[in-house]
C-alpha cells in the first residue's frame, strides 16, 4: 500500500510541539473535544470500557469522563500522552488499533482519521474492537479544511516558479466518511459538519498555530527542497487579498466532520423491508379538504 502520510515525521513534529507547548495551543483540539463530550452526554448509556484512539492529547477523554457517562479510559497512540503513565498508552501508529476484538464499549477518535493511510482498514479495526452495541464517536477535518491556505500557497508558488507542490493535506468529504462507516459494518451511522472559522491577523499567525499543534504537512510525497521565504510572503499577500474580512483579519476554515456508528446488535432498530409498509404515504398525506389527483 502506498503511504500518503509520513507517520514517523508526524510523531517527531507532535513531540516537538508538546516539548514547546504553550497554554492555548490546543484550542482546536479542545473545541472539538468539547463538542464530542456534548454528543456523548445525550446518549442514554453508561460506558465502562472506553478507549481513546490516536488523539495526540488526552483532552477528549478527560472531557468525556467529566460527563459521568464513562469508566476509566484506556489509550492507543504513537507516544505516551502528557499527564498519563507510560503504561496507560498502547503504542501504535495511526493505521493500527491494537485492541482485542469486542474489548471496548466506547471508542473515541478525535482528529485522527484524516492522517491514516488506510482509513477503511482503520474503521474496520475500530468496529471489530467494539463490543456488540458499542459506540464509535469520531471527529475529523473534512473537505475545505485550510482551503484558503491551500489556494494561497498554490497561487504564490505557481506565480513565482511556474509550478506548485502540494503543501496542504487532502481531506475527504462527509459523503466519503458516511460510506466508509457503512462499508466497515457500523449500524445506524450518522455524520454531520461543524464549520469552525478561526481569524488571524495574517497568514503567519495561522502557520505558527499549526506548528504549535503539530499539524503541519505530513505528506510522504512532499518536496524536500528548501522553501524561499519569498514564497510565504507572496502567499500571505494573496491570502489577505482573497480571504480577509472588512477589518483586515484573515479567515481559516476548519469544517469538522463528526461521525458516529454502533457495532451491530440484535436489539438495534432495523429498516423495514421494501414493500412491507401497511399504509400508503399518499393516504397519510391526504386531508379532508384535499384529494390527490388520480
Amino acid at each position: 500500500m502506498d503511504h500518503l502520510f509520513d507517520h514517523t515525521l508526524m510523531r517527531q513534529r507532535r513531540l516537538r510541539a508538546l516539548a514547546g507547548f504553550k497554554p492555548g495551543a490546543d484550542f482546536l483540539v479542545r473545541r472539538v473535544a468539547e463538542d464530542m463530550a456534548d454528543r456523548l452526554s445525550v446518549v442514554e448509556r453508561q460506558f465502562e470500557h472506553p478507549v481513546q484512539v490516536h488523539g495526540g492529547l488526552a483532552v477528549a477523554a478527560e472531557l468525556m469522563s467529566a460527563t459521568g457517562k464513562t469508566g476509566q479510559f484506556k489509550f492507543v497512540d504513537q507516544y505516551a500522552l502528557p499527564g498519563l503513565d507510560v503504561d496507560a498508552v498502547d503504542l501504535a501508529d495511526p493505521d493500527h488499533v491494537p485492541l482485542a476484538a469486542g474489548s471496548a464499549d466506547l471508542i473515541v477518535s478525535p482528529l485522527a482519521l484524516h492522517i491514516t493511510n488506510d482509513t477503511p482498514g482503520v474503521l474496520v479495526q475500530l468496529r471489530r474492537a467494539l463490543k456488540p452495541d458499542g459506540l464509535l464517536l469520531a471527529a475529523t477535518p473534512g473537505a475545505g479544511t485550510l482551503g484558503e491556505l491551500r489556494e494561497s500557497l498554490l497561487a504564490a508558488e505557481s506565480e513565482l516558479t511556474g509550478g506548485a507542490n502540494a503543501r496542504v493535506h487532502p481531506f475527504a468529504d462527509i459523503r466519503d466518511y458516511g460510506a466508509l462507516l457503512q462499508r466497515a459494518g457500523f449500524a445506524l451511522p450518522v455524520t454531520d459538519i461543524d464549520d469552525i472559522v478561526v481569524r488571524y491577523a495574517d497568514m503567519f499567525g495561522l502557520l505558527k498555530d499549526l506548528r504549535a499543534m503539530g499539524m503541519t504537512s505530513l505528506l510522504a510525497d512532499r518536496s524536500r527542497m528548501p522553501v524561499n521565504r519569498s514564497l510565504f510572503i507572496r502567499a500571505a499577500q494573496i491570502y489577505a487579498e482573497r480571504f480577509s474580512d472588512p477589518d483586515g483579519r484573515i479567515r481559516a476554515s476548519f469544517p469538522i466532520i463528526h461521525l458516529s456508528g454502533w457495532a451491530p446488535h440484535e436489539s438495534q432498530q432495523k429498516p423495514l423491508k421494501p414493500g412491507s409498509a401497511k399504509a400508503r404515504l399518499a393516504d397519510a398525506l391526504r386531508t379532508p379538504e384535499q384529494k390527490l389527483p388520480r
Side-chain angles (χ1 to χ4, degrees):
M1 179 182 67
D2 292 334
H3 283 189
L4 181 61
F5 301 111
D6 184 338
H7 290 153
T8 300
L9 179 64
M10 171 184 166
R11 183 176 185 276
Q12 294 171 349
R13 289 187 173 172
R14 291 199 170 180
L15 287 174
R16 183 177 62 191
L18 288 173
F21 183 82
K22 295 181 181 179
D26 60 347
F27 74 92
L28 185 62
V29 173
R30 188 164 294 277
R31 161 65 188 275
V32 171
E34 289 172 351
D35 289 345
M36 296 180 74
D38 286 344
R39 291 162 188 265
L40 179 66
S41 69
V42 300
V43 179
E44 296 299 324
R45 284 275 301 277
Q46 291 293 126
F47 299 94
E48 300 302 326
H49 303 283
V51 184
Q52 178 181 301
V53 177
H54 296 303
L57 294 170
V59 179
E62 293 168 358
L63 293 178
M64 289 185 169
S65 295
T67 68
K69 296 279 187 177
T70 73
Q72 185 173 357
F73 268 85
K74 295 182 179 180
F75 297 85
V76 174
D77 222 302
Q78 278 192 307
Y79 47 81
L81 302 184
L84 300 177
D85 294 334
V86 174
D87 295 337
V89 182
D90 288 332
L91 299 181
D93 71 48
D95 287 322
H96 294 91
V97 181
L99 297 173
S103 60
D105 54 8
L106 171 66
I107 293 178
V108 299
S109 172
L111 301 181
L113 288 176
H114 66 294
I115 41 151
T116 57
N117 289 309
D118 180 18
T119 306
V122 170
L123 285 170
V124 169
Q125 292 178 70
L126 294 175
R127 198 259 303 156
R128 288 175 178 169
L130 284 170
K131 299 174 182 291
D133 208 29
L135 174 63
L136 168 70
L137 289 177
T140 183
T145 295
L146 296 175
E148 303 92 347
L149 179 62
R150 179 199 304 274
E151 181 176 327
S152 301
L153 287 170
L154 286 173
E157 191 165 14
S158 178
E159 176 184 309
L160 295 176
T161 69
N165 292 286
R167 301 189 184 278
V168 177
H169 291 180
F171 297 95
D173 67 24
I174 189 169
R175 291 170 297 181
D176 294 329
Y177 280 112
L180 288 175
L181 283 175
Q182 292 182 314
R183 175 179 170 184
F186 283 96
L188 308 174
V190 176
T191 57
D192 63 86
I193 295 180
D194 178 22
D195 286 312
I196 300 175
V197 176
V198 185
R199 302 202 315 144
Y200 291 91
D202 54 39
M203 189 188 81
F204 296 103
L206 168 60
L207 295 178
K208 181 180 178 181
D209 269 359
L210 292 176
R211 286 192 294 269
M213 292 185 285
M215 292 185 178
T216 49
S217 176
L218 303 171
L219 293 171
D221 193 26
R222 64 193 179 278
S223 172
R224 266 62 170 184
M225 296 293 292
V227 180
N228 193 303
R229 182 171 172 78
S230 62
L231 168 62
F232 291 104
I233 292 174
R234 180 60 185 134
Q237 293 170 344
I238 294 172
Y239 205 132
E241 292 166 1
R242 299 184 183 182
F243 304 109
S244 63
D245 290 328
D247 62 1
R249 296 179 68 82
I250 63 167
R251 304 180 300 277
S253 297
F254 297 91
I256 303 299
I257 300 175
H258 287 269
L259 305 86
S260 67
W262 297 82
H265 187 264
E266 61 184 10
S267 67
Q268 293 165 351
Q269 293 179 328
K270 295 178 176 61
L272 294 174
K273 294 181 179 179
S276 63
K278 302 297 185 182
R280 297 169 59 238
L281 177 60
D283 293 335
L285 296 175
R286 184 180 295 128
T287 66
E289 297 77 22
Q290 177 185 13
K291 292 186 177 180
L292 297 179
R294 294 184 180 276

